[in-house]
Amino acid sequence: MSDYARAAATLISGAGSAIAFTGAGISTESGIPDFRGSQGLWKRFDPKMATRTFMLESPRVFWEFYAMRFEALARAKPNPGHKALARLEREGILEAVITQNIDGLHTEAGSRRVIELHGNIRTSRCDECSSTRPTEDCIREVMEWGKVPACDCGGMMRPAVVLFEEPVELFEAALRIAQESDLCIVVGSSLTVYPAAFIPEAVKSSGGRLIIINADPTPLDGVADLVIREGASDALTGALEALGIA
Ligand code: NAD
């Protein structure tokens, strides 16, 4: 058992109310590319493709980009990292998972209290009236019939995710949970996307502890109580083992 696993277990067992804050890095081991890691999507695509402006100006190319992302995601299954967080919640150790991910894998792994700050790609909604439809159906319209999916009201359907330039509506609720927590376990996030990255900062500035599990350095490493530079699954299953609940 590694020293990191033991140190993580000590912090986790000493916490009164712990949360996890996750990013794309927890899902790379499920085959979903992240944005800023070594194989990240932004090495191949321009981030402007995930902006509201781009969706309105080039809806067809926007939809093709999301169809490609959905393809990687539709086959993905939760990995041991997602399952370890679900286990920590079942054991009464973790209060909630606050995630930036849009892949739905925390819920599929069994986590019950999941705040999806940036939405979920499996559902699409009308940009005008907000009525919903499975994204899979919308993608069929784009890829097979070559048209941008429209709602009955005439509005454009779009994935129910938060695009750059759009507000993060669940942020205030997530912030309240963070301010009541005394430990935040960050897993697989570059901690560069705001306002989401304020969540671990809020736990720390309310006097809580911070564990960061990430393959690359993050801007909060300097204030973290423990930094584990390992793969998410190994680090989390190691912590579970050290807690005696593997
Ligand atoms: P990011 O791409 O900015 O950072 C991911 C971090 O995870 C990187 O620092 C990388 O080093 C690390 N990482 C990659 N694989 C890892 C592993 N196996 N173990 C530990 N660390 C690993 O992602 P972010 O911080 O989540 O922010 C970017 C935005 O990405 C979010 O808004 C999110 O909506 C979106 N996104 C989500 C998905 C998804 O739903 N799976 C995928 C790509 C991007």
Side-chain angles (χ1 to χ4, degrees):
M1 190 180 299
S2 73
D3 290 347
Y4 286 136
R6 275 197 207 90
T10 303
L11 285 167
I12 292 169
S13 54
S17 172
I19 56 167
F21 176 79
T22 68
I26 195 170
S27 293
T28 54
E29 292 170 58
S30 293
I32 303 173
D34 62 11
F35 279 167
R36 297 176 186 78
S38 58
Q39 308 292 318
L41 272 187
W42 295 156
K43 299 238 172 355
R44 289 183 289 138
F45 296 95
D46 188 334
K48 79 167 189 207
M49 295 182 97
T51 61
R52 181 169 179 80
T53 303
F54 188 75
M55 175 183 78
L56 297 174
E57 284 175 2
S58 310
R60 175 86 186 272
V61 185
F62 168 85
W63 260 108
E64 284 166 2
F65 174 64
Y66 272 90
M68 181 271 300
R69 291 193 65 193
F70 185 80
E71 183 61 28
L73 218 134
R75 291 187 303 269
K77 291 282 164 236
N79 65 49
H82 298 106
K83 289 177 189 165
L85 293 181
R87 179 75 194 272
L88 285 174
E89 186 183 3
R90 274 203 306 282
E91 295 290 331
I93 295 170
L94 202 65
E95 289 291 323
V97 176
I98 299 172
T99 187
Q100 300 166 89
N101 293 349
I102 57 172
D103 55 32
L105 291 182
H106 285 299
T107 305
E108 208 176 319
S111 287
R112 286 179 297 245
R113 193 173 182 202
V114 182
I115 306 202
E116 293 177 315
L117 283 176
H118 295 162
N120 191 315
I121 199 177
R122 291 169 202 261
T123 301
S124 285
R125 66 173 163 81
C126 173
D127 199 50
E128 301 289 332
C129 75
S130 295
S131 71
T132 60
R133 209 193 295 169
T135 296
E136 211 173 351
D137 296 353
C138 294
I139 286 174
R140 203 169 305 124
E141 284 183 40
V142 182
M143 302 315 277
E144 289 178 16
W145 307 331
K147 60 174 198 174
V148 174
C151 176
D152 291 343
C153 80
M156 182 178 82
M157 296 300 294
R158 39 81 52 92
V161 300
V162 177
L163 301 171
F164 291 127
E165 307 167 344
E166 292 182 331
V168 179
E169 281 166 11
L170 293 177
F171 177 71
E172 291 300 328
L175 189 61
R176 276 195 295 278
I177 296 171
Q179 285 163 339
E180 287 162 8
S181 303
D182 59 4
L183 175 69
C184 180
I185 310 170
V186 172
V187 191
S189 175
S190 62
L191 298 179
T192 53
V193 176
Y194 283 87
F198 282 128
I199 298 296
E201 285 184 31
V203 176
K204 196 65 196 164
S205 56
S206 313
R209 303 287 186 89
L210 192 56
I211 300 176
I212 297 181
I213 299 169
N214 202 58
D216 290 308
T218 81
L220 289 192
D221 286 2
V223 298
D225 297 276
L226 176 65
V227 176
I228 305 182
R229 190 92 61 234
E230 268 183 34
S233 290
D234 283 351
L236 287 169
T237 51
L240 250 60
E241 246 172 68
L243 284 163
I245 53 171

